[in-house]
Amino acid sequence: MVQQRPRRIHIHDVAMRDGLQIEPNFVPTEQKIALINALSRTGVSKIEATSFTSPKAIPALRDAEEVMMGIERAPGVKYVCLVPNMRGAQRAMQCGVDEINLVMSASETHNLANLRMTREQSLRVLSEITAELQGKIDINISISTAFGCPMEGIVPSEDVLRLGDRFAALGVQGITLCDTTGMANPAQVEALCTGLAQRWPLELTLHFHNTRGMGLANVIAGLATGIDRYDSSLAGLGGCPYAPGATGNICSEDLVHMLDSMGLQTGVDLDRLVFCAKQMAEMVGHDVPGQVMKAGRWDKRFPVPPDLELTRERALARDAH
Amino acid sequence: MVQQRPRRIHIHDVAMRDGLQIEPNFVPTEQKIALINALSRTGVSKIEATSFTSPKAIPALRDAEEVMMGIERAPGVKYVCLVPNMRGAQRAMQCGVDEINLVMSASETHNLANLRMTREQSLRVLSEITAELQGKIDINISISTAFGCPMEGIVPSEDVLRLGDRFAALGVQGITLCDTTGMANPAQVEALCTGLAQRWPLELTLHFHNTRGMGLANVIAGLATGIDRYDSSLAGLGGCPYAPGATGNICSEDLVHMLDSMGLQTGVDLDRLVFCAKQMAEMVGHDVPGQVMKAGRWDKRFPVPPDLELTRERALARDAH
């Protein structure tokens, strides 16, 4: 069941969208642009830069156009935006976004509560958008509550697989399985994801939250199934209304740090990423869950106590008596 | 390399020792006793209750005798105490401790800085104590800095293996490999621990810190090597002077929660453990790293929005037009 871990892992930073969307204070547009520009130079593969949604629904991202038009694009980085419908997709295309991220839930209750459509309706909308825009822009579809629904509980894996099969058949570029509220565990990740990369020959991404502390453990399980793309968030920003006080998305720099220390390649410069995470923490103005920004890298060396030689001499002198 | 995960995992809670020893405020003895008594009824396999060390070195644990004599012992729970030397071992035995935990570091610098002895001297002391007390009390030896030294950096795995071989030859009941400052990563855990349970046929325990967020990921790696005993700390208490601001030991209730959700048996009642963790947080009077005590279990169900049926009707009505 367990295969060789992928040698090259792709990091998709979603902090600018999944993180900022729930921040109570509006982050000024120029600060967002500066941070995306800095993040563009870290080596991440994708940046989910904003969301083309209604400014009333998500006021924190009401400056989507200004952000997308204001940033400097770095070669090799894909700029992704979440869009809820055709109107959003058109706005994204006008800004020259590289990839749109469409979303629906694997569970009916979450889809209704979050998107105000039945799953059948969402599936139709996503199919229409895909049919219309295929070939004009890359399309990724995120399946929310793929590892559990905070209202329904267990989501049958057949529901997730059936949805993914439909999207794969539509010819989208990528599918993301989202653990929207941090319910996934490593055994479940292995069970659901083993064989998926073969079943859906496209860009397959896992999106974990660290709500209950299992985020990086789930990445280890995902890697064991061969999946090489992970959504994560600078400084561990994000979170969800169902778990107040809990941590948010898995933390980008903590993820890169773990993969680095394991000898796996991400193409990301950890020092630059930590710098961006610190900027993010300053921008939002509150404590953030990121650990490596506080503790430093695993290979950080601390000074030897100045009296160590004296300690050694005294210790050996005790033996002499 | 990867084998079946163990079906039954043993949890050793070390919060009363590894957690409390660095707390700036003295926790009253009766509160310690009450919490150990509550913890005794959770189903953990071992409780590291205190440390028989000099009250000057660790004033937070200066009430070791009163604590050990004051608690009610639960059947099936082993009460362990850390002891630095023969004097400490004798104090522990006078209190009827079930197991003493001896300690030395795998790296020379950490051993000198922490214990004021060379490794050779520590090895001699530990051998003497073991020879003297073998058969009178169970003995576990903890190898600190087994996955890295904050001052020396990489610790050669041969050094760790050679030390463990010596201890196994002494006939001790258990060996614990400690990631003292949270430097271990899952690939390293797999590399060092694969085959260890066969090499040392005794109680083999892993002790991780979550300093850089990799704690539970390391447990997943440890389980893949077949190791079934883990040190952890209520509420994630603990920490280390080398990483100020970082989290401490891996969190007991977050660990049990992960194993529960994976369908693995720990024998621990998670609700009772979370109750103890909340008591601990109140006792120390500051924010603690534990996640599950904030977010609730993975299978916690949230209420469906009251207007969900109306939302569905409206959504379907849009189709009808």
Side-chain angles (χ1 to χ4, degrees):
Chain A
M1 190 184 78
V2 174
Q3 59 175 75
Q4 195 74 27
R5 293 190 177 113
R7 295 282 312 270
R8 171 64 154 93
I9 324 285
H10 294 274
I11 307 296
H12 304 172
D13 195 279
V14 300
M16 304 305 299
R17 198 276 304 168
D18 208 1
L20 289 187
Q21 71 180 8
I22 57 155
E23 285 296 322
N25 298 321
F26 182 78
V27 173
T29 308
E30 59 273 27
Q31 287 186 25
K32 288 176 182 155
I33 291 171
L35 187 51
I36 295 175
N37 288 346
L39 195 50
S40 294
R41 292 186 291 267
T42 60
V44 296
S45 297
K46 295 188 185 180
I47 297 173
E48 193 157 304
T50 185
S51 172
F52 287 95
T53 182
S54 143
K56 260 184 246 161
I58 306 182
L61 302 181
R62 62 175 184 257
D63 54 0
E65 269 86 357
E66 292 121 283
V67 167
M68 273 314 299
M69 301 308 280
I71 56 174
E72 291 164 36
R73 310 282 188 94
V77 180
K78 247 180 145 172
Y79 296 86
V80 184
C81 293
L82 190 85
V83 307
N85 49 33
M86 185 64 90
R87 172 83 195 96
Q90 284 159 344
R91 287 170 61 200
M93 290 186 70
Q94 278 161 8
C95 295
V97 164
D98 296 312
E99 180 175 281
I100 54 171
N101 188 17
L102 305 172
V103 63
M104 70 169 284
S105 307
S107 63
E108 184 78 0
T109 310
H110 193 267
N111 202 67
L112 268 170
N114 202 36
L115 303 174
R116 313 210 149 259
M117 286 187 271
T118 65
R119 282 180 296 181
E120 216 36 65
Q121 291 177 317
S122 280
L123 202 46
R124 205 167 59 227
V125 169
L126 268 47
S127 303
E128 284 165 8
I129 296 175
T130 304
E132 176 99 9
L133 301 184
Q134 194 64 270
K136 298 180 187 144
I137 190 167
D138 284 349
I139 298 172
N140 184 81
I141 298 188
S142 283
I143 304 179
S144 299
T145 65
F147 297 89
C149 169
M151 291 163 288
E152 290 184 22
I154 290 170
V155 172
S157 38
E158 305 80 62
D159 290 11
V160 179
L161 295 174
R162 207 177 306 122
L163 265 181
D165 287 345
R166 300 272 296 259
F167 298 138
L170 290 175
V172 297
Q173 276 64 48
I175 293 177
T176 302
L177 297 188
C178 301
D179 180 29
T180 311
T181 61
M183 296 170 68
N185 70 69
Q188 183 191 15
V189 171
E190 285 168 9
L192 183 60
C193 297
T194 297
L196 266 197
Q198 289 72 41
R199 183 172 179 141
W200 302 332
L202 37 70
E203 283 187 358
L204 183 53
T205 303
L206 296 178
H207 174 112
F208 294 124
H209 282 239
N210 197 36
T211 317
R212 293 166 177 92
M214 296 186 279
L216 293 189
N218 286 331
V219 172
I220 295 298
L223 291 172
T225 72
I227 295 179
D228 64 352
R229 293 181 174 271
Y230 294 86
D231 281 357
S232 59
S233 174
L234 266 183
L237 222 65
C240 89
Y242 294 104
T247 52
N249 294 64
I250 57 170
C251 171
S252 292
E253 68 276 13
D254 289 4
L255 171 61
V256 168
H257 172 270
M258 178 176 79
L259 300 172
D260 263 12
S261 68
M262 293 172 71
L264 301 169
Q265 308 301 316
T266 60
V268 178
D269 182 312
L270 181 60
D271 291 338
R272 289 187 186 182
L273 197 63
V274 168
F275 179 82
C276 289
K278 288 178 176 170
Q279 295 280 102
M280 178 59 104
E282 213 168 288
M283 241 168 64
V284 298
H286 57 73
D287 193 28
V288 291
Q291 286 295 303
V292 171
M293 62 192 285
K294 293 163 195 147
R297 300 163 57 102
W298 84 97
D299 54 3
K300 180 176 171 188
R301 298 277 277 275
F302 291 81
V304 170
D307 61 346
L308 195 77
E309 275 317 306
L310 189 62
T311 304
R312 190 197 311 271
E313 280 166 33
R314 283 185 181 157
L316 294 173
R318 282 197 304 273
D319 272 0
H321 293 293
Chain B
M1 193 182 75
V2 175
Q3 58 174 76
Q4 196 74 26
R5 293 189 177 113
R7 295 280 313 269
R8 171 64 155 91
I9 324 285
H10 294 274
I11 307 296
H12 305 171
D13 195 281
V14 301
M16 303 305 299
R17 199 277 304 168
D18 208 1
L20 289 187
Q21 71 180 8
I22 57 156
E23 285 297 321
N25 298 322
F26 182 77
V27 173
T29 308
E30 60 272 25
Q31 287 187 26
K32 287 176 183 155
I33 291 172
L35 187 50
I36 293 175
N37 287 346
L39 195 51
S40 293
R41 293 187 290 268
T42 60
V44 296
S45 299
K46 295 187 186 180
I47 297 173
E48 192 159 306
T50 186
S51 173
F52 286 94
T53 181
S54 143
K56 261 186 241 157
I58 308 181
L61 302 181
R62 62 175 183 256
D63 54 359
E65 269 86 359
E66 292 120 283
V67 167
M68 273 315 298
M69 301 306 281
I71 57 173
E72 291 164 37
R73 309 281 189 96
V77 180
K78 247 179 146 174
Y79 296 87
V80 184
C81 293
L82 189 84
V83 307
N85 48 33
M86 184 65 89
R87 173 83 194 95
Q90 283 159 344
R91 288 170 62 199
M93 288 186 72
Q94 278 161 9
C95 295
V97 163
D98 295 312
E99 181 176 279
I100 54 170
N101 188 17
L102 305 172
V103 62
M104 69 169 285
S105 308
S107 62
E108 183 77 1
T109 310
H110 192 267
N111 203 68
L112 268 171
N114 203 34
L115 303 174
R116 312 210 149 258
M117 287 186 270
T118 65
R119 281 180 297 182
E120 216 37 65
Q121 291 176 318
S122 281
L123 202 46
R124 206 167 59 226
V125 169
L126 268 47
S127 303
E128 284 164 8
I129 297 176
T130 303
E132 176 99 10
L133 301 184
Q134 194 64 271
K136 300 181 188 144
I137 191 167
D138 284 349
I139 299 173
N140 184 81
I141 298 188
S142 283
I143 304 179
S144 298
T145 66
F147 298 89
C149 169
M151 291 163 287
E152 290 184 21
I154 291 170
V155 171
S157 37
E158 305 81 59
D159 290 11
V160 179
L161 295 174
R162 208 178 305 122
L163 265 182
D165 287 345
R166 300 272 296 258
F167 299 138
L170 290 177
V172 297
Q173 276 63 49
I175 293 176
T176 303
L177 296 187
C178 302
D179 181 29
T180 312
T181 60
M183 296 169 69
N185 70 69
Q188 182 191 15
V189 171
E190 285 168 8
L192 183 60
C193 298
T194 296
L196 266 199
Q198 289 72 43
R199 183 173 179 141
W200 301 332
L202 36 70
E203 284 187 357
L204 184 53
T205 303
L206 296 178
H207 174 111
F208 294 124
H209 282 239
N210 197 36
T211 319
R212 293 166 178 92
M214 296 186 278
L216 293 188
N218 286 332
V219 171
I220 296 298
L223 291 173
T225 72
I227 295 179
D228 63 352
R229 294 181 174 271
Y230 294 87
D231 281 357
S232 60
S233 173
L234 267 183
L237 222 65
C240 90
Y242 294 103
T247 51
N249 293 64
I250 57 170
C251 172
S252 293
E253 68 276 13
D254 289 4
L255 171 61
V256 168
H257 172 270
M258 178 176 80
L259 299 173
D260 263 11
S261 69
M262 293 171 73
L264 301 169
Q265 306 302 315
T266 60
V268 178
D269 182 312
L270 182 59
D271 291 338
R272 291 187 186 181
L273 197 63
V274 168
F275 178 82
C276 289
K278 288 179 177 168
Q279 293 281 102
M280 177 60 104
E282 213 167 286
M283 240 167 64
V284 298
H286 56 74
D287 194 28
V288 291
Q291 287 294 304
V292 172
M293 62 193 284
K294 294 163 194 146
R297 300 163 59 100
W298 83 98
D299 54 3
K300 179 176 172 187
R301 298 278 277 275
F302 292 82
V304 169
D307 61 346
L308 194 78
E309 275 317 305
L310 189 63
T311 304
R312 190 198 311 271
E313 280 168 31
R314 282 185 182 157
L316 293 172
R318 282 198 304 274
D319 272 2
H321 292 293

